[in-house]
Amino acid sequence: MSDMLKRLVLIGCLLLTFGGLAAYAAPSLSRAEIVKYKAQLAKHEQEINRLQKKLKLTRKPELRGQIIDKIDLNRAQALKIKQRLYPRPAKPAAPVSTRGRAISLEASVTLETGVIENVSTAEGAARKEVRISVARHEIGVVGGLLAGTTAMLGEIRVPLRWVFGPATAVVRLSAGLAQGNNAAQRLVPINADLLLNFPPGWFTGVDNYLGGGLNFVAATSDGKPGTLGGQLCYGIVSDGFGGLIFGELGYGVLRTGFSPSYKGGTVMVGFRKALF
């Protein structure tokens, strides 16, 4: 065989090899999806590093538990993104022998499939537990401007099993006393809000949340109950005084039903603490 022929054969083999590797490594994701997932992965890794540094400086067991929960959530989400970006190729099932007797290929495939299903189920349950454990039952107090009135409310936050991307869901129930420009008229509003908690890096560099819900004026100083209203809000959260300090901006409407409604901006500051 001439040198020229040998070179052609070698080049052909190399092209076939590289072509096979390229086909094997070709991602099933589009370029836009890859860029999006890599950006999300970088945010989760940055947040894990930030929380780990914060954990070293925290001594209170309650706050340490909250930080560890957030680290676990970010790790679970980062793992999910890595599995999308870098999926592992399926390994062919090999015959398994037991006590010298070979198990058929069909039986080995069934066995391996069952193991994979069990592992996937266990991983899914673990991730679900991690996500749910991040949100805790909390009680707190908040005061400021509510829908054009001056208000002071007590609240309780109850975690839900819903997860929307990076956000966890919480229901907030609050009630208290509000007073409008007319000092003679006072209201007792009861609020129910759905809140979505976002980790740092989403909207702002700190823990934050978006929410909205309905309110009902249960009583007034005129002796009459009101009707339904509503509110929207955005809040930021920070550690402090052994719990969590939060500030909230929004807009709301309180309706008495027999006098002009109270409408306006909401500017509230509050403190809350985990129950368990």
Side-chain angles (χ1 to χ4, degrees), residues 72-186:
D72 290 341
L73 173 61
N74 279 276
R75 282 177 175 168
Q77 292 174 337
L79 177 61
K80 185 177 180 180
I81 293 173
K82 287 179 180 178
Q83 289 174 343
R84 291 180 179 177
L85 284 172
Y86 315 110
R88 294 183 179 180
K91 296 181 180 180
V96 182
S97 61
T98 305
R99 296 183 181 180
R101 293 179 299 174
I103 299 178
S104 67
L105 180 60
E106 181 181 357
S108 64
V109 170
T110 303
L111 176 62
E112 184 173 350
T113 303
V115 172
I116 292 174
E117 288 177 351
N118 291 336
V119 171
S120 300
T121 303
E123 288 181 354
R127 291 175 192 168
K128 190 174 182 182
E129 288 180 3
V130 167
R131 287 175 170 179
I132 293 171
S133 66
V134 171
R136 298 168 181 265
H137 292 75
E138 298 171 329
I139 58 171
V141 61
V142 60
L145 299 178
L146 173 65
T149 68
T150 303
M152 179 67 70
L153 307 173
E155 67 170 46
I156 181 170
R157 302 193 185 198
V158 180
L160 299 177
R161 295 176 177 266
W162 300 343
V163 177
F164 303 93
T168 55
V170 176
V171 166
R172 175 175 66 181
L173 303 175
S174 59
L177 184 65
Q179 177 179 299
N181 295 329
N182 181 5
Q185 187 175 53
R186 295 181 176 83

Side-chain angles (χ1 to χ4, degrees), residues 40 43-48 50-51 54 66-67 69-75 77-78 81 134 163-169 196-210 234-237:
Q40 292 177 357
K43 284 186 178 181
H44 287 304
E45 291 177 344
Q46 290 175 359
E47 178 62 7
I48 290 170
R50 186 189 73 83
L51 290 171
K54 186 176 181 180
Q66 294 177 2
I67 295 172
D69 285 343
K70 292 179 181 179
I71 291 174
D72 290 341
L73 173 61
N74 279 276
R75 282 177 175 168
Q77 292 174 337
I81 293 173
V134 171
V163 177
F164 303 93
T168 55
L196 297 179
N197 295 319
F198 293 88
W202 294 83
F203 305 118
T204 65
V206 298
D207 290 306
N208 52 115
Y209 59 88
L210 287 172
Y234 169 76
I236 59 174
V237 186

Side-chain angles (χ1 to χ4, degrees), residues 242-265:
L244 297 173
I245 301 172
F246 62 96
E248 192 169 298
L249 300 174
Y251 184 85
V253 178
L254 295 174
R255 291 191 170 96
T256 63
F258 57 87
S259 63
S261 300
Y262 292 94
K263 301 178 182 180

